[in-house]
Amino acid sequence: LTKFTFKESIPSFGSTFYADSTIKEIELEGNITTVDIQTFQKLDLDTLIIGKTVEYIDPNVFRSLNTTCIIVHSENKAFAMENSALLNKDKTKIFNWLICF
């Protein structure tokens, strides 16, 4: 399993993935609105896709999640990507800054 897509009606979830080296892409679709602090612990992802319904991501999620690419759905009302930074839609808060080599 290298890609995992949440498509079910799960509004939020806590500790879901822990140090799983096989998963390289996670897509947050469906009715997911909240991503809690322990959702992605010690993961190295190629891609994290934030769906249009995600409204809240605990800022500490990115302390133990390494990813090289974050994609935000164009209809998401809470988040935006700009210049390798994951921002709130108003672009007043930085959640994560991707450093690519």
Side-chain angles (χ1 to χ4, degrees):
L1 179 69
T2 59
K3 179 179 178 179
F4 190 88
T5 303
F6 288 93
K7 291 188 176 183
E8 302 301 321
S9 298
I10 305 169
S12 67
F13 49 95
S15 184
T16 306
F17 299 99
Y18 182 84
D20 188 332
S21 62
T22 61
I23 296 177
K24 294 299 177 191
E25 181 176 312
I26 294 177
E27 187 170 356
L28 304 173
E29 287 186 356
N31 294 326
I32 294 173
T33 59
T34 302
V35 180
D36 294 326
I37 186 172
Q38 296 179 339
T39 302
F40 310 119
Q41 288 202 353
K42 299 182 182 179
L43 284 184
D44 291 314
L45 296 178
D46 293 334
T47 307
L48 174 63
I49 302 170
I50 299 171
K52 65 182 179 179
T53 60
V54 178
E55 299 171 352
Y56 176 79
I57 299 175
D58 188 300
N60 293 309
V61 162
F62 299 102
R63 294 177 80 188
S64 64
L65 168 66
N66 295 315
T67 184
T68 56
C69 179
I70 298 174
I71 299 169
V72 177
H73 192 283
S74 62
E75 295 179 29
N76 186 291
K77 295 179 182 176
F79 298 98
M81 282 296 294
E82 185 174 301
N83 298 323
S84 300
L86 176 63
L87 310 165
N88 64 345
K89 202 63 161 187
D90 297 332
K91 300 179 182 173
T92 58
K93 184 175 182 178
I94 297 174
F95 286 87
N96 192 29
W97 195 289
L98 300 176
I99 301 172
C100 304
F101 297 97

